[in-house]
Amino acid sequence: MTEEMKIDELPGVGPATAEKLREAGYSDLMTIAVESPKNLAEMAEIGEATANKIINLAKREADIGNFETGDALLERRKAVGKLTSGVKALDELLGGGFESQAIIELYGEFGSGKTQIAHQLAVNVQLPEDQGGLGGHALMIDTENTFRPERIVQIAGALDLDPQEALTNVHVARAFNSHHQMLLMDRAKALAKEFPVKLLIVDSLTAHFRAEYIGRGALAERQQKLNRHMHDLQRFADLNNAVILVTNQVSAKPDAFFGDPTRPIGGHIVGHTATFRIYMRKSKGGKRICRLVDSPSLPDGEAVVTLCEEGVRD
Ligand code: ADP
Ligand code: MG
């Protein structure tokens, strides 16, 4: 794939306008190309005529992609890797492990084990393929400050990996708000050119969005931004043949729009873009029940995992 033009390389778009676009979350040409002039004008605080002009330029320059034949798609599917969770039952539930070129969403209440699984996968991805890994690095966008290098050391040690080396293969960035979270995708893309990044974690995908966009009036904008973020993630998955793991809370108190306390945040946008959705809930002691809720080609079902010092186990 050819390198796509940057926003500020578009003829007639000055640095000030480019900055406004970026600040509004338009990080690549594709997101601009598919936007309406009215929305773009509103979001980036530019005139509608300017927005219209920029959209037309973006349409011309964006890497819009093309139709692919079934056999080409099958060829790409053959490259799909399966990352082991280290838990047999969970791997089986997922048809062999966490798939690359896909977004897997873990959702569940606080303490259900989402972050533990994220840590476990950040180590497992480093294993060679014949041991269930993808022989690559992990990136983590940490929005809740819950990444713990000590856990990587423990989990790597339990797998007989060199803990120090395991730590150097996990790259973590704190995201301070939803905007920052989306901007970090640019850094992620750059890092993926330096290292073979095979796992990208966003923990949590929705927390900032939920905190910042409150009430019915903000819902449309929140969903639009989340949608853009999800597509950015899917693109990363495709380009790097990587696994994308995102975590999501359930709304403990009724959401402005999605009142059900056991429903994940983000509604249809997240639900439709994630390839696999796993609902996690607490059971006795360290046991957690993982329920596969939504998958393109696998039956729904459940697996029990145990959270322990060594990580996540049967
Ligand atoms: P979530 O991200 O879903 O809010 P976490 O993944 O942080 O939840 O899970 C927290 C749980 O993980 C704790 O309640 C505990 O059961 C387990 N846990 C965390 N660290 C350890 C550890 N070092 N040893 C054993 N269990 C642990
Ligand atoms: Mg967590």
Side-chain angles (χ1 to χ4, degrees), residues 33-184:
V34 299
E35 190 56 281
S36 76
K38 189 169 174 294
N39 268 344
L40 189 70
E42 235 169 63
M43 303 280 288
E45 293 167 355
I46 55 179
E48 213 170 306
T50 312
N52 198 23
K53 190 185 87 181
I54 292 171
I55 288 168
N56 283 332
L57 285 168
K59 276 183 183 156
R60 210 163 59 210
E61 300 297 338
D63 183 4
I64 293 180
N66 215 330
F67 287 91
E68 283 183 277
T69 54
D71 62 321
L73 287 173
L74 183 64
E75 207 49 46
R76 190 136 62 81
R77 286 287 305 163
K78 279 188 194 152
V80 166
K82 303 242 169 131
L83 170 58
T84 185
S85 63
V87 181
K88 212 165 159 244
L90 182 54
D91 285 356
E92 275 169 13
L93 186 67
L94 292 170
F98 287 69
E99 273 192 12
S100 65
Q101 298 175 32
I103 301 177
I104 298 103
E105 176 198 359
L106 298 178
Y107 72 93
E109 63 171 323
F110 172 77
S112 59
K114 304 179 294 292
T115 299
Q116 298 307 309
I117 290 190
H119 280 75
Q120 181 74 58
L121 292 184
V123 175
N124 291 359
V125 73
Q126 305 178 32
L127 293 166
E129 282 179 34
D130 60 7
Q131 289 175 41
L134 298 172
H137 289 225
L139 301 189
M140 186 189 286
I141 298 179
D142 180 12
T143 75
E144 302 189 304
N145 200 17
T146 51
F147 173 77
R148 293 290 175 275
E150 299 85 350
R151 288 297 281 147
I152 299 295
V153 170
Q154 286 173 334
I155 292 168
L159 290 176
D160 281 331
L161 292 171
D162 174 9
Q164 208 51 45
E165 199 181 319
L167 282 171
T168 62
N169 295 338
V170 181
H171 311 255
V172 185
R174 285 282 311 278
F176 297 101
N177 54 47
S178 66
H179 201 118
H180 187 201
Q181 182 178 332
M182 290 172 76
L183 281 180
L184 280 169

Side-chain angles (χ1 to χ4, degrees), residues 173-209:
R174 285 282 311 278
F176 297 101
N177 54 47
S178 66
H179 201 118
H180 187 201
Q181 182 178 332
M182 290 172 76
L183 281 180
L184 280 169
M185 285 306 294
D186 288 342
R187 292 295 309 136
K189 285 174 211 159
L191 263 184
K193 294 197 172 108
E194 282 176 55
F195 306 101
V197 176
K198 291 294 168 193
L199 171 67
L200 171 62
I201 298 161
V202 187
D203 183 19
S204 138
L205 174 75
T206 46
H208 282 319
F209 288 92

